[in-house]
């Protein structure tokens, strides 16, 4: 997948199938829509394009109501690339761009720059100033250019609409299994490795330490989780701790990852690792001694080892 921007002075000589969205979390509903874009482009032997925004449109239009996000742009691009899209058009969203009339969006971007031949839209899609370009407008505008439209329906799970809003709620409440069920993949947290105090090594469970990401990123509650760590070509399974280490006094909130098996290349301090959170194991709490803590970690690791050997989500 190639990421492009409006400032790249590009235009698609090849015809395209296009869709648009914030795609926060790239959940199963998004994936269904993206698969339609890719499949329809392949059927026509043309290119597939997704349009997304940076920053999220709500952070510009309604900053006081803007939610914390499931994915940074880089995380979003990583997940979208796994869906087989040819091009990701990243539009810098600001007040100026938000004033672009919907008919100009269609003419300037979809027709002139992207050479669109089919539009795939989700429920509630709207484009242009004040979201004036809704379903009725889009059908009329696309008809003017003889561009067919396919509408992807909403996806449900356990009687709930799969949405970024619902997934944010699940994660902040520690309901990781429910969130992962809607995401269709473990929850991705990209974090910079930092030098730790080596306390884990002293009690028999060495860890890699990672800085807490931006406060705008949705983070699960403090506790222990089954997780994977990926870096370059290495993928490790292990125990993820998130918290401030109350047993050792208040420390800065951070992540620690203990690998079940150490093999492959690890991120060095200053490098970014990708943490994939699979399942909640237990809440964070202080322990009366390092011996009591080590005994609890051993129980946690055994549960996590069992999860990865028997119940691991198959998603790659």
């Amino acid at each position: 997948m190639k990421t492009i921007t409006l400032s790249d002075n590009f235009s698609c000589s090849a015809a395209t199938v296009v869709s648009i969205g914030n795609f926060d979390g790239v959940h199963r509903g998004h994936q269904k829509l993206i698969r339609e874009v890719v499949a329809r482009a392949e059927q026509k032997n043309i290119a597939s394009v997704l349009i997304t925004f940076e920053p999220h449109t709500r952070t510009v239009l309604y900053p006081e109501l803007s939610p914390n996000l499931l994915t940074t742009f880089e995380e979003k691009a990583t997940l979208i690339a796994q869906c087989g899209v040819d091009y990701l058009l990243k539009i810098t969203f600001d007040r100026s761009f938000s004033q672009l009339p919907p008919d100009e969006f269609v003419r300037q971007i979809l027709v002139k720059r992207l050479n669109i031949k089919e539009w795939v839209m989700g429920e509630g899609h709207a484009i242009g100033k004040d979201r004036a370009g809704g379903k009725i407008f889009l059908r009329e505008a696309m008809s003017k250019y003889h561009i067919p439209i396919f509408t992807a329906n909403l996806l449900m799970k356990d009687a709930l609409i799969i949405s970024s809003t619902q997934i944010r709620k699940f994660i902040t409440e520690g309901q990781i299994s429910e969130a992962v069920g809607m995401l269709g993949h473990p929850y991705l947290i990209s974090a910079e490795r930092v030098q730790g105090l080596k306390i884990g090594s002293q009690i028999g469970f060495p860890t890699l330490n990672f800085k807490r990401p931006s406060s705008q990123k949705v983070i699960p509650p403090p506790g222990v989780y089954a997780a994977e760590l990926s870096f370059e070509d290495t993928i490790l399974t292990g125990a993820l701790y998130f918290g401030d280490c109350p047993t050792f006094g208040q420390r800065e909130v951070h992540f620690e990852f203990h690998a079940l098996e150490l093999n492959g290349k690890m991120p060095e301090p200053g490098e970014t690792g990708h943490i994939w959170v699979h399942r909640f194991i237990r809440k964070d709490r202080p322990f009366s001694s390092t011996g009591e803590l080590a005994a609890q970690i051993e129980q946690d690791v055994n549960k996590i080892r069992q999860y990865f050997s028997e119940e691991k989500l198959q998603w790659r």
Side-chain angles (χ1 to χ4, degrees), residues 172-188:
T172 55
E173 293 175 352
Q175 299 183 68
I176 303 302
S177 295
E178 291 80 358
V180 168
M182 285 194 170
L183 285 167
H185 55 78
Y187 182 51
L188 173 58

Side-chain angles (χ1 to χ4, degrees), residues 5-309:
T5 69
L6 289 178
S7 61
D8 286 339
N9 194 30
F10 77 94
S11 59
C12 289
S13 55
T16 63
V17 178
V18 184
S19 191
I20 191 171
N22 281 301
F23 300 112
D24 187 31
V26 194
H27 56 59
R28 287 175 54 204
H30 296 144
Q31 292 165 36
K32 178 183 177 184
L33 182 146
I34 295 168
R35 282 195 296 270
E36 285 291 348
V37 173
V38 172
R40 288 171 177 275
E42 289 177 347
Q43 288 169 7
K44 294 176 169 61
N45 197 28
I46 58 179
S48 55
V49 180
L50 284 191
I51 302 173
T52 194
F53 303 100
E54 177 65 16
H56 192 289
T57 53
R58 283 191 187 179
T59 65
V60 175
L61 299 176
Y62 314 105
E64 69 284 356
L65 300 175
S66 177
N68 287 343
L69 300 179
L70 298 169
T71 43
T72 64
F73 177 79
E74 290 74 17
E75 290 168 343
K76 184 194 306 184
T78 295
L79 292 164
I80 289 173
Q82 294 177 358
C83 297
V85 173
D86 293 314
Y87 295 97
L88 179 63
L89 172 57
K90 173 186 175 183
I91 293 180
T92 300
F93 193 82
D94 53 22
R95 284 286 178 182
S96 174
F97 186 84
S98 74
Q99 299 302 303
L100 184 68
D103 57 332
E104 285 299 293
F105 184 94
V106 172
R107 186 179 67 84
Q108 292 182 21
I109 297 176
L110 298 183
V111 176
K112 292 183 66 175
R113 301 290 290 273
L114 294 180
N115 194 17
I116 183 174
K117 297 303 177 187
E118 185 169 7
W119 174 256
V120 178
M121 63 184 290
E123 293 287 343
H125 267 188
I127 62 172
K129 181 181 178 182
D130 300 325
R131 291 176 55 85
K135 185 181 293 186
I136 294 174
F137 165 83
L138 283 167
R139 292 200 179 280
E140 293 175 350
M142 297 301 177
S143 175
K144 175 181 175 182
Y145 294 101
H146 309 290
I147 297 167
I149 293 179
F150 176 85
T151 301
N153 297 324
L154 293 170
L155 206 57
M156 306 283 290
K157 187 177 189 304
D158 300 330
L160 292 173
I161 295 173
I162 293 178
S163 69
S164 301
T165 300
Q166 183 61 55
I167 294 167
R168 292 184 196 111
K169 183 174 184 291
F170 279 147
I171 292 173
T172 55
E173 293 175 352
Q175 299 183 68
I176 303 302
S177 295
E178 291 80 358
V180 168
M182 285 194 170
L183 285 167
H185 55 78
Y187 182 51
L188 173 58
I189 301 171
S190 300
E192 178 188 341
R193 186 183 169 190
V194 294
Q195 191 64 55
L197 300 178
K198 302 189 183 300
I199 294 174
S201 297
Q202 295 170 18
I203 60 174
F205 296 95
T207 61
L208 300 180
N209 286 235
F210 294 89
K211 186 187 298 185
R212 187 200 190 285
S214 161
S215 60
Q216 296 178 336
K217 169 84 175 175
V218 175
I219 296 296
V224 176
Y225 299 84
E228 292 175 294
L229 173 66
S230 63
F231 178 72
E232 296 185 357
D233 295 329
T234 299
I235 301 174
L236 301 173
T237 57
L240 176 71
Y241 168 76
F242 173 62
D244 60 3
C245 298
T247 301
F248 302 99
Q250 295 296 313
R251 290 177 56 195
E252 186 175 351
V253 173
H254 65 291
F255 292 99
E256 295 189 30
F257 181 84
H258 169 72
L260 300 183
E261 305 290 342
L262 272 177
N263 53 68
K265 187 176 181 181
M266 306 292 112
E268 296 293 332
E271 293 183 321
T272 297
H274 304 291
I275 299 165
W276 303 85
V277 185
H278 282 248
R279 175 171 291 188
F280 171 78
I281 301 299
R282 67 168 173 85
K283 294 180 179 179
D284 193 15
R285 69 178 182 88
F287 293 87
S288 60
S289 67
T290 55
E292 185 185 13
L293 171 60
Q296 179 61 63
I297 294 175
E298 185 171 7
Q299 292 181 38
D300 299 337
V301 167
N302 287 338
K303 286 182 181 178
I304 291 167
R305 195 181 298 278
Q306 181 178 4
Y307 165 75
F308 280 114
S309 64

